[in-house]
Amino acid sequence: MSREARNLHWLLTNLVEEVPGLLSVAVVSSDGLLLLSSDPGGTGPGGTGADASGATGRPAGPKGSSADLATIVSGLGSLTLGAAKLMDGGGVKQTMVAMEDGSLFVMSISDGSLLGVHATPDCDMSVIAYHMALFVGRAGHVLTPELRSELRQSLESRDAADPSAPGEYAEVPRPREPRTPLRTPGSAQ
């Protein structure tokens, strides 16, 4: 694994471990392919958030699949890009969808790549947006065409060998249970 791939992996792991309320995270290429995910290959039996033993812990991401989140992120990114062009609004920096049972955040990384986060309904949106911006600022220069190719190949080789096995390069731990929200810069003490 290249140093850049390890760095990107570390950045996503840090995002997942430090930000409360995350259900799943995906980095998607400009052509809609999943590059990196907090949930490689699904969350477990039936996509319900169950662990390997079948015990349920936390809510699952969309249908429990990182591929589903990647599809949603790619589609939403494309839709907002088209809307921005029609409205002469310039580039899309961030998209947020608040739902009854969760939130979806999409942020541009570089060259059309996107960071997508599915979060709990009670998440602190400002904390998630802040940490996503940190990730994007740090990952933007690292996510080169060569690294995208390496990440895609690692996912493809994993899927060809055993679709249910976690990817050696692309797996990131599942987010932990939500913790007490972090304070954002400028928040009351």
Side-chain angles (χ1 to χ4, degrees), residues 91-136:
V92 177
K93 296 179 182 179
Q94 177 180 329
T95 304
M96 199 279 293
V97 178
M99 302 169 279
E100 284 183 25
D101 295 324
S103 297
L104 176 64
F105 302 83
V106 179
M107 197 172 281
S108 298
I109 298 176
S110 64
D111 297 336
S113 296
L114 301 167
L115 171 64
V117 171
H118 179 216
T120 61
D122 60 345
C123 70
D124 187 332
M125 294 180 191
S126 62
V127 169
I128 291 177
Y130 173 75
H131 283 276
M132 286 178 71
L134 288 177
F135 178 90
V136 166

Side-chain angles (χ1 to χ4, degrees), residues 48-62:
T48 61
D51 62 21
S53 68
T56 58
R58 53 189 290 96

